[in-house]
Amino acid sequence: MEAAGSGSLGLGDTQPPGTARPGAAEGVVPMKRNEKEVAKEGKSVGFVLVHAGAGYHSESKAKEYKQVCKKACQKAIEKLQAGALAVDVVTAALIELEDSPFTNAGMGSNLNLSGDIECDASTMDGKSLNFGAVGALRGIKNPILVANKLLSEAQKGKLSAGRIPPCFLVGEGAYKWAVDHGIVPCPPDIMATKFSLSAFRKNRRKLELAEKVETEMIQTKKRREVSENTNVTTSLDTVGAVVVDHEGNVAAAVSSGGLAMKHPGRVGQAAVYGCGCWAENTGGHNMYSTAVSTSGCGEHLVRTMLARECSVALQAEDAHQALLETMQKKFVRSPFLACEDSVLGGVIVLRCCRCSLESESSLNTQALLVEFLWSHTTESMCVGYMSTQDGKAKNMSHGDFTISKTHISRLPPGAVAGQSLAIEGGVCRLRSPIN
């Protein structure tokens, strides 16, 4: 199996400002900036990386997919510049992704076999290590809000009579808890879009036809093929984001409408601990803060606990090589997926640490060094990233540097989805005052 786009940018990289190694994301090493400009930014240092699903992104809708990622990044940057912490920033980014009709999360999610929308979402705070998740949730426009609320409520401590607060709720219980905690419900029929309803009717006709002409064994195979093909050609899977804030805290989040025509009550990786997202600050045995968000076939991601596996691997010296080996050995060739002909998934990751700047003019500042990567075995994956150096998403020109980009990563020609993988990324340095 070969990997595409294998430009590795390690944290010890010494390349000159304004350049990037071949195969890496473009424009990811900031040029020298005026110290007054840095001081003016104050605490507004931060970075966000988002994804709009691992699956297939048609060229005809490439502009819409990229715009979704751009808006999510801009919302996150607004929050970071206002001094918000990572866990709230990542939630703001996810709301933008959930609200888009082009993603399979929140509004416009895939419909299940009964014609209903049931969503999964989770978030993790790298500072407190708290986690909040919801599964098979109906009637809430932004499932990530409920996951975030579960996380924040848990941080308040035990409930009355010494009860332990929940971190993971599903179905009707999750809905009632959300409403009781001030989250406004949404009529279920409003969450379906013309696009998702059309896909549901098309898939239902295929299933009905298969049931008339196939044996039970063939029926099962056909259903699986229909489900997989639907996710490749129409709505994509999970969306997510990873963030580092001005304090160096990391957070991750993920949200999904799940597989098309899934069985009612099915919960995918987006709600499962260690599978959909992971975030962990430095400390203990961790040299780096790490954050991960996954996408793809939920069953494959759950059985491999890919988010947690990637986070652990990122403590190695070479993050690029570590992620490559994890995707190959712990996912594509995982013994837990040995019976699968095609292993479909994708991840976005970041790791960061602080270091002092060596120049005399920077004695009162230090660098927040952020390395970010994405990898996928699906035909494509749409990502976007942005830093607080500039939140306006304009191109680098006339000496003004902007760390911002939207990009549709694709497998190279001839590569087989589910058996090959692509991996890309970059590194940036964000200056901030020494605390």
Side-chain angles (χ1 to χ4, degrees), residues 100-415:
S100 171
F102 293 99
T103 64
N104 176 28
M107 296 287 291
S109 291
N110 286 330
L111 278 67
N112 63 19
L113 278 171
S114 300
D116 299 315
I117 288 178
E118 294 182 329
C119 297
D120 305 328
S122 65
T123 185
M124 186 169 180
D125 175 22
K127 182 178 182 179
S128 66
L129 300 182
N130 281 340
F131 172 82
V134 291
L137 176 64
R138 299 187 192 182
I140 298 294
K141 180 173 174 284
N142 294 113
I144 192 62
L145 281 176
V146 190
N148 178 267
K149 190 68 173 178
L150 280 164
L151 186 153
S152 62
E153 288 295 311
Q155 291 178 328
K156 296 178 181 179
K158 293 184 178 181
L159 305 174
S160 60
R163 292 174 298 142
I164 297 176
C167 68
F168 181 16
L169 293 173
V170 299
E172 186 66 19
Y175 173 82
K176 290 181 178 179
W177 188 95
V179 174
D180 289 344
H181 286 77
I183 296 177
V184 180
C186 174
D189 56 337
I190 293 180
M191 294 189 67
T193 63
K194 292 182 179 180
F195 185 69
S196 62
L197 287 171
S198 175
F200 170 72
R201 288 190 288 266
K202 180 180 178 180
N203 293 332
R204 185 171 58 184
R205 286 195 297 270
K206 288 182 178 180
L207 288 177
E208 290 172 350
L209 178 61
E211 289 172 353
K212 291 180 180 179
V213 299
E214 304 289 349
T215 63
E216 184 61 33
M217 182 181 297
I218 299 300
Q219 286 176 30
T220 302
K221 180 180 179 181
K222 290 292 182 180
R223 286 180 185 137
R224 184 182 302 115
E225 290 175 349
V226 167
S227 177
E228 291 174 352
N229 290 337
T230 298
N231 280 281
V232 168
T233 59
T234 57
S235 294
L236 303 175
D237 202 7
T238 314
V239 301
V242 290
V243 167
V244 56
D245 64 25
H246 66 273
E247 293 184 357
N249 301 314
V250 294
V254 59
S255 182
S256 179
L259 296 172
M261 308 303 285
K262 65 183 180 181
H263 194 283
R266 180 261 190 186
V267 174
Q269 105 285 354
V272 181
Y273 189 70
C275 304
C277 68
W278 193 268
E280 197 168 350
N281 279 10
T282 55
H285 299 292
N286 294 338
M287 292 181 60
Y288 306 105
S289 295
T290 60
V292 182
S293 180
T294 68
S295 180
C297 177
E299 279 67 22
H300 295 171
L301 296 163
V302 167
R303 287 153 63 187
T304 54
M305 295 189 69
L306 189 61
R308 171 65 171 151
E309 290 283 3
C310 288
S311 178
V312 172
L314 287 173
Q315 296 300 325
E317 181 178 356
D318 188 332
H320 177 277
Q321 184 63 27
L323 180 60
L324 175 62
E325 292 180 358
T326 299
M327 289 294 290
Q328 290 174 331
K329 299 178 181 179
K330 299 296 182 69
F331 191 58
V332 178
R333 297 200 296 265
S334 169
F336 299 103
L337 301 177
C339 61
E340 300 290 344
D341 296 327
S342 181
V343 178
L344 300 170
V347 298
I348 58 172
V349 307
L350 70 76
R351 76 175 188 181
C352 63
C353 65
R354 289 191 179 275
C355 63
S356 298
L357 296 175
E358 296 180 358
S359 64
E360 293 182 3
S361 61
S362 303
L363 294 178
N364 294 323
T365 63
Q366 61 179 195
L368 183 63
L369 207 55
V370 182
E371 190 168 9
F372 56 99
L373 297 158
W374 54 86
S375 180
H376 57 95
T377 65
T378 54
E379 291 190 47
S380 62
M381 187 173 189
C382 186
V383 301
Y385 54 87
M386 188 177 292
S387 84
T388 48
Q389 301 284 43
D390 190 331
K392 295 183 179 180
K394 56 188 178 183
N395 293 325
M396 180 169 58
S397 61
H398 306 297
D400 295 324
F401 182 77
T402 301
I403 305 175
S404 62
K405 185 179 177 68
T406 55
H407 172 61
I408 296 182
S409 174
R410 299 186 186 278
L411 291 177

